[in-house]
Amino acid sequence: MHKEREFQLLREMILLLGGKEVMLEHKEELVRVWRGLVNQRPAGPISQAYLTYEQEFLTAYHEKHQCSLEACEETRSPHILLYYGDICHLQVDAIVNAANSDLQGCFIPNHTCIDNAIHFYAGMELRNACAELMKEQGHREPVGQVKVTAGYALPARFIFHTVGPRISVGKRPSLIREHLLRQCYLSCLNQARKKDIRTIAFCAISTGEFGYPKEEAAYIAVQTVRDWLQETGYELTVIFTLYTAEDACYYEEELGVKEKR
Protein backbone atom coordinates (compact mmCIF):
# COMPACT_ATOMS: atom_id res chain seq x y z
CA MET A 1 0.00 0.00 0.00
CA HIS A 2 1.32 3.46 -0.89
CA LYS A 3 2.13 5.86 1.92
CA GLU A 4 -0.43 8.37 0.65
CA ARG A 5 -3.20 5.77 0.81
CA GLU A 6 -2.18 4.72 4.34
CA PHE A 7 -2.37 8.32 5.53
CA GLN A 8 -5.72 8.81 3.82
CA LEU A 9 -7.22 5.70 5.45
CA LEU A 10 -5.89 6.62 8.89
CA ARG A 11 -7.26 10.16 8.73
CA GLU A 12 -10.65 8.96 7.47
CA MET A 13 -10.92 6.36 10.26
CA ILE A 14 -9.97 8.90 12.91
CA LEU A 15 -12.71 11.26 11.72
CA LEU A 16 -15.30 8.47 11.54
CA LEU A 17 -14.51 7.56 15.16
CA GLY A 18 -15.16 11.11 16.28
CA GLY A 19 -11.57 12.26 16.38
CA LYS A 20 -10.36 15.65 15.19
CA GLU A 21 -8.68 16.19 11.85
CA VAL A 22 -4.96 15.65 12.35
CA MET A 23 -2.11 16.46 10.01
CA LEU A 24 0.68 14.48 11.64
CA GLU A 25 3.67 13.72 9.44
CA HIS A 26 4.52 10.22 10.69
CA LYS A 27 2.35 7.14 10.21
CA GLU A 28 3.20 5.85 13.69
CA GLU A 29 1.72 9.00 15.22
CA LEU A 30 -1.48 8.61 13.22
CA VAL A 31 -1.75 4.94 14.18
CA ARG A 32 -1.38 5.90 17.83
CA VAL A 33 -4.25 8.39 17.59
CA TRP A 34 -6.42 5.87 15.73
CA ARG A 35 -5.61 3.01 18.11
CA GLY A 36 -6.44 5.16 21.12
CA LEU A 37 -9.87 5.93 19.67
CA VAL A 38 -10.48 2.26 18.85
CA ASN A 39 -9.44 1.18 22.35
CA GLN A 40 -11.90 3.55 24.03
CA ARG A 41 -14.91 2.90 21.81
CA PRO A 42 -17.56 0.73 23.49
CA ALA A 43 -19.30 -2.08 21.67
CA GLY A 44 -22.03 -0.88 19.36
CA PRO A 45 -22.98 -0.23 15.73
CA ILE A 46 -20.09 0.59 13.39
CA SER A 47 -20.51 2.39 10.09
CA GLN A 48 -19.88 0.37 6.94
CA ALA A 49 -17.58 3.13 5.72
CA TYR A 50 -15.35 2.69 8.75
CA LEU A 51 -15.31 -1.10 8.44
CA THR A 52 -14.33 -0.86 4.77
CA TYR A 53 -11.40 1.43 5.55
CA GLU A 54 -10.32 -0.65 8.52
CA GLN A 55 -10.42 -3.88 6.52
CA GLU A 56 -8.28 -2.38 3.77
CA PHE A 57 -5.70 -1.03 6.22
CA LEU A 58 -5.46 -4.14 8.42
CA THR A 59 -5.39 -6.51 5.45
CA ALA A 60 -2.39 -4.66 4.03
CA TYR A 61 -0.74 -4.58 7.46
CA HIS A 62 -1.11 -8.31 8.05
CA GLU A 63 -0.03 -9.22 4.53
CA LYS A 64 3.22 -7.41 5.29
CA HIS A 65 3.81 -8.80 8.78
CA GLN A 66 2.17 -12.24 9.00
CA CYS A 67 4.39 -15.24 9.77
CA SER A 68 3.89 -18.95 9.16
CA LEU A 69 5.12 -21.86 11.26
CA GLU A 70 8.42 -21.63 9.40
CA ALA A 71 9.19 -18.57 11.52
CA CYS A 72 8.99 -20.68 14.70
CA GLU A 73 11.78 -22.60 16.40
CA GLU A 74 11.55 -26.33 17.01
CA THR A 75 12.08 -27.58 20.55
CA ARG A 76 13.07 -30.92 22.03
CA SER A 77 9.40 -31.59 22.75
CA PRO A 78 7.49 -32.98 19.77
CA HIS A 79 4.70 -30.73 18.47
CA ILE A 80 5.77 -27.74 20.59
CA LEU A 81 7.34 -24.69 18.93
CA LEU A 82 8.60 -21.32 20.12
CA TYR A 83 7.88 -18.04 18.33
CA TYR A 84 9.91 -14.94 19.13
CA GLY A 85 7.53 -12.18 18.17
CA ASP A 86 4.02 -10.77 18.14
CA ILE A 87 1.21 -13.32 18.39
CA CYS A 88 -0.93 -11.10 16.16
CA HIS A 89 1.38 -11.91 13.24
CA LEU A 90 0.99 -15.69 13.36
CA GLN A 91 -0.86 -17.44 10.56
CA VAL A 92 -2.30 -20.35 12.56
CA ASP A 93 -5.69 -21.90 13.22
CA ALA A 94 -6.09 -20.17 16.59
CA ILE A 95 -4.34 -17.77 18.92
CA VAL A 96 -5.07 -17.44 22.63
CA ASN A 97 -5.93 -14.09 24.16
CA ALA A 98 -5.34 -13.44 27.85
CA ALA A 99 -8.68 -11.70 28.36
CA ASN A 100 -10.29 -9.91 31.27
CA SER A 101 -13.56 -11.09 32.79
CA ASP A 102 -15.64 -8.62 30.76
CA LEU A 103 -14.18 -10.22 27.62
CA GLN A 104 -14.42 -7.02 25.59
CA GLY A 105 -10.77 -6.07 25.41
CA CYS A 106 -8.66 -3.40 27.06
CA PHE A 107 -10.15 0.12 27.04
CA ILE A 108 -6.93 1.91 28.03
CA PRO A 109 -5.66 3.92 25.02
CA ASN A 110 -2.54 2.37 23.49
CA HIS A 111 -1.99 0.02 26.41
CA THR A 112 0.72 -2.59 25.88
CA CYS A 113 -1.24 -5.65 27.08
CA ILE A 114 -1.95 -8.54 24.72
CA ASP A 115 -5.72 -8.06 25.09
CA ASN A 116 -5.39 -4.52 23.73
CA ALA A 117 -3.22 -5.61 20.81
CA ILE A 118 -5.41 -8.53 19.74
CA HIS A 119 -8.60 -6.48 19.80
CA PHE A 120 -6.96 -3.67 17.86
CA TYR A 121 -5.31 -5.77 15.15
CA ALA A 122 -8.38 -7.99 14.75
CA GLY A 123 -10.59 -4.99 14.10
CA MET A 124 -13.54 -3.41 15.84
CA GLU A 125 -16.00 -6.19 15.01
CA LEU A 126 -14.27 -8.36 17.61
CA ARG A 127 -15.46 -6.22 20.53
CA ASN A 128 -19.03 -6.45 19.29
CA ALA A 129 -18.77 -10.22 18.96
CA CYS A 130 -17.43 -10.52 22.51
CA ALA A 131 -20.16 -8.22 23.83
CA GLU A 132 -22.77 -10.46 22.23
CA LEU A 133 -21.22 -13.54 23.85
CA MET A 134 -21.34 -11.83 27.24
CA LYS A 135 -24.95 -10.74 26.70
CA GLU A 136 -25.95 -14.31 25.89
CA GLN A 137 -24.04 -15.65 28.91
CA GLY A 138 -25.52 -13.14 31.31
CA HIS A 139 -22.53 -12.92 33.64
CA ARG A 140 -18.81 -12.20 33.59
CA GLU A 141 -16.45 -14.82 32.24
CA PRO A 142 -15.14 -17.21 34.94
CA VAL A 143 -11.42 -17.81 35.32
CA GLY A 144 -10.12 -20.88 33.53
CA GLN A 145 -12.75 -21.24 30.83
CA VAL A 146 -12.63 -20.29 27.14
CA LYS A 147 -14.75 -18.46 24.60
CA VAL A 148 -14.11 -18.66 20.85
CA THR A 149 -14.55 -15.94 18.24
CA ALA A 150 -13.50 -15.53 14.65
CA GLY A 151 -10.08 -13.99 14.07
CA TYR A 152 -11.56 -11.22 11.91
CA ALA A 153 -8.67 -9.26 10.33
CA LEU A 154 -5.96 -11.33 12.03
CA PRO A 155 -4.05 -14.03 10.11
CA ALA A 156 -5.39 -16.54 12.68
CA ARG A 157 -8.78 -18.13 11.91
CA PHE A 158 -9.96 -18.10 15.52
CA ILE A 159 -9.27 -16.31 18.80
CA PHE A 160 -9.58 -18.27 22.04
CA HIS A 161 -10.32 -15.90 24.93
CA THR A 162 -9.44 -17.16 28.39
CA VAL A 163 -9.28 -15.36 31.74
CA GLY A 164 -6.32 -16.27 33.90
CA PRO A 165 -5.91 -15.89 37.67
CA ARG A 166 -4.67 -12.64 39.20
CA ILE A 167 -1.79 -12.51 41.65
CA SER A 168 -1.23 -9.58 44.00
CA VAL A 169 2.16 -7.89 43.81
CA GLY A 170 4.71 -9.71 45.94
CA LYS A 171 2.47 -12.72 46.55
CA ARG A 172 3.20 -16.31 45.55
CA PRO A 173 0.62 -18.31 43.60
CA SER A 174 -1.65 -20.45 45.76
CA LEU A 175 -2.51 -24.03 44.81
CA ILE A 176 -5.93 -22.79 43.71
CA ARG A 177 -4.40 -20.23 41.34
CA GLU A 178 -1.97 -22.82 39.99
CA HIS A 179 -4.97 -25.03 39.25
CA LEU A 180 -6.84 -22.17 37.58
CA LEU A 181 -3.89 -21.29 35.33
CA ARG A 182 -3.53 -24.93 34.35
CA GLN A 183 -7.25 -24.99 33.62
CA CYS A 184 -6.87 -22.07 31.18
CA TYR A 185 -4.50 -24.15 29.07
CA LEU A 186 -6.61 -27.30 29.36
CA SER A 187 -9.79 -25.46 28.36
CA CYS A 188 -8.09 -24.09 25.25
CA LEU A 189 -6.53 -27.43 24.32
CA ASN A 190 -9.81 -29.30 24.76
CA GLN A 191 -11.62 -26.69 22.70
CA ALA A 192 -8.98 -26.99 19.97
CA ARG A 193 -9.62 -30.73 19.75
CA LYS A 194 -13.39 -30.16 19.76
CA LYS A 195 -13.10 -27.75 16.81
CA ASP A 196 -10.57 -29.97 14.98
CA ILE A 197 -7.91 -27.28 15.18
CA ARG A 198 -4.34 -28.32 14.36
CA THR A 199 -2.25 -25.24 15.22
CA ILE A 200 -2.69 -23.03 18.27
CA ALA A 201 -0.49 -20.25 19.65
CA PHE A 202 -0.48 -19.32 23.33
CA CYS A 203 0.59 -16.08 24.90
CA ALA A 204 1.98 -16.24 28.44
CA ILE A 205 -1.40 -16.23 30.20
CA SER A 206 -1.70 -14.13 33.39
CA THR A 207 1.94 -13.00 33.39
CA GLY A 208 1.30 -9.40 32.29
CA GLU A 209 -1.16 -7.16 34.10
CA PHE A 210 -2.47 -10.11 36.12
CA GLY A 211 0.90 -10.51 37.84
CA TYR A 212 1.51 -14.28 37.74
CA PRO A 213 5.29 -14.94 38.16
CA LYS A 214 6.71 -15.68 34.74
CA GLU A 215 8.93 -18.60 35.72
CA GLU A 216 6.17 -20.50 37.51
CA ALA A 217 3.71 -19.72 34.73
CA ALA A 218 6.08 -21.07 32.08
CA TYR A 219 6.51 -24.31 34.02
CA ILE A 220 2.75 -24.81 34.33
CA ALA A 221 2.16 -23.96 30.67
CA VAL A 222 4.77 -26.37 29.35
CA GLN A 223 3.93 -29.24 31.69
CA THR A 224 0.21 -28.92 31.02
CA VAL A 225 0.65 -28.92 27.26
CA ARG A 226 3.17 -31.78 27.31
CA ASP A 227 0.94 -33.95 29.47
CA TRP A 228 -2.16 -33.20 27.42
CA LEU A 229 -0.46 -34.02 24.11
CA GLN A 230 0.86 -37.29 25.51
CA GLU A 231 -2.39 -38.31 27.20
CA THR A 232 -4.73 -37.47 24.31
CA GLY A 233 -2.49 -38.33 21.36
CA TYR A 234 -4.23 -35.56 19.44
CA GLU A 235 -2.13 -34.17 16.57
CA LEU A 236 -1.87 -30.53 17.56
CA THR A 237 1.05 -28.17 17.05
CA VAL A 238 1.34 -25.80 20.00
CA ILE A 239 3.29 -22.55 19.74
CA PHE A 240 4.39 -20.56 22.75
CA THR A 241 4.88 -16.92 21.75
CA LEU A 242 7.74 -15.17 23.51
CA TYR A 243 7.40 -11.40 23.46
CA THR A 244 10.11 -10.60 26.02
CA ALA A 245 13.64 -11.84 26.72
CA GLU A 246 12.50 -13.00 30.16
CA ASP A 247 9.74 -15.13 28.64
CA ALA A 248 12.22 -16.63 26.19
CA CYS A 249 14.63 -17.53 28.99
CA TYR A 250 12.05 -19.53 30.96
CA TYR A 251 10.48 -21.32 28.01
CA GLU A 252 13.84 -22.21 26.51
CA GLU A 253 14.88 -23.64 29.87
CA GLU A 254 11.73 -25.78 30.02
CA LEU A 255 11.74 -26.90 26.38
CA GLY A 256 15.17 -26.39 24.90
CA VAL A 257 15.62 -25.22 21.32
CA LYS A 258 16.24 -28.05 18.90
CA GLU A 259 17.77 -26.02 16.14
CA LYS A 260 18.47 -22.34 15.72
CA ARG A 261 17.73 -21.05 12.23
Side-chain angles (χ1 to χ4, degrees):
M1 184 186 296
H2 293 296
K3 179 179 178 181
E4 293 79 8
R5 181 58 177 166
E6 287 185 322
F7 274 59
Q8 178 187 2
L9 289 172
L10 287 165
R11 291 191 175 111
E12 291 289 350
M13 288 189 291
I14 288 169
L15 289 174
L16 286 168
L17 292 178
K20 297 179 180 179
E21 185 171 1
V22 289
M23 299 302 294
L24 298 171
E25 297 182 359
H26 300 288
K27 185 181 77 172
E28 292 75 14
E29 294 174 330
L30 281 169
V31 170
R32 182 173 179 81
V33 173
W34 169 43
R35 180 169 177 169
L37 291 169
V38 170
N39 295 155
Q40 296 175 86
R41 189 183 187 278
I46 312 168
S47 72
Q48 188 56 52
Y50 174 84
L51 291 176
T52 299
Y53 293 144
E54 183 188 70
Q55 184 65 35
E56 181 180 350
F57 187 93
L58 290 177
T59 296
Y61 173 85
H62 290 305
E63 285 177 352
K64 181 178 179 181
H65 293 93
Q66 69 185 19
C67 296
S68 68
L69 293 186
E70 293 180 356
C72 302
E73 299 286 351
E74 294 183 1
T75 71
R76 297 191 183 95
S77 292
H79 307 295
I80 300 179
L81 306 177
L82 298 179
Y83 175 66
Y84 301 82
D86 191 333
I87 197 171
C88 295
H89 296 165
L90 276 174
Q91 190 174 22
V92 291
D93 290 334
I95 63 170
V96 176
N97 177 30
N100 59 50
S101 57
D102 291 325
L103 221 71
Q104 294 182 48
C106 170
F107 284 81
I108 302 173
N110 292 284
H111 196 248
T112 57
C113 70
I114 189 66
D115 198 17
N116 187 299
I118 287 176
H119 272 263
F120 175 66
Y121 286 109
M124 290 184 62
E125 289 179 291
L126 176 58
R127 179 163 284 168
N128 281 354
C130 289
E132 187 62 30
L133 287 174
M134 290 296 94
K135 181 180 178 181
E136 292 174 4
Q137 179 164 278
H139 57 81
R140 304 177 84 188
E141 181 72 355
V143 175
Q145 297 186 16
V146 64
K147 289 287 187 296
V148 181
T149 65
Y152 294 95
L154 291 174
R157 291 171 52 212
F158 298 104
I159 305 169
F160 284 22
H161 306 264
T162 189
V163 182
R166 290 180 180 267
I167 304 293
S168 300
V169 177
K171 298 290 186 179
R172 306 306 304 169
S174 65
L175 290 176
I176 291 176
R177 284 176 170 77
E178 288 179 8
H179 169 77
L180 288 170
L181 182 58
R182 187 173 291 107
Q183 190 58 46
C184 288
Y185 287 94
L186 289 174
S187 294
C188 292
L189 293 167
N190 290 331
Q191 186 64 237
R193 181 169 58 171
K194 182 179 179 180
K195 296 184 73 66
D196 197 29
I197 279 172
R198 298 296 170 171
T199 54
I200 185 169
F202 285 96
C203 62
I205 300 168
S206 278
T207 60
E209 293 299 307
F210 283 18
Y212 207 105
K214 288 179 178 288
E215 185 173 9
E216 289 89 333
Y219 174 80
I220 288 174
V222 171
Q223 291 303 117
T224 302
V225 168
R226 271 180 176 160
D227 291 346
W228 186 90
L229 289 171
Q230 184 175 3
E231 290 168 5
T232 64
Y234 182 69
E235 293 186 5
L236 177 69
T237 297
V238 176
I239 304 101
F240 289 114
T241 56
L242 312 174
Y243 199 62
T244 69
E246 186 179 4
D247 288 331
C249 176
Y250 296 133
Y251 279 88
E252 286 174 353
E253 183 177 350
E254 291 293 335
L255 288 162
V257 176
K258 185 175 180 181
E259 180 181 355
K260 287 284 187 180
R261 291 181 174 86

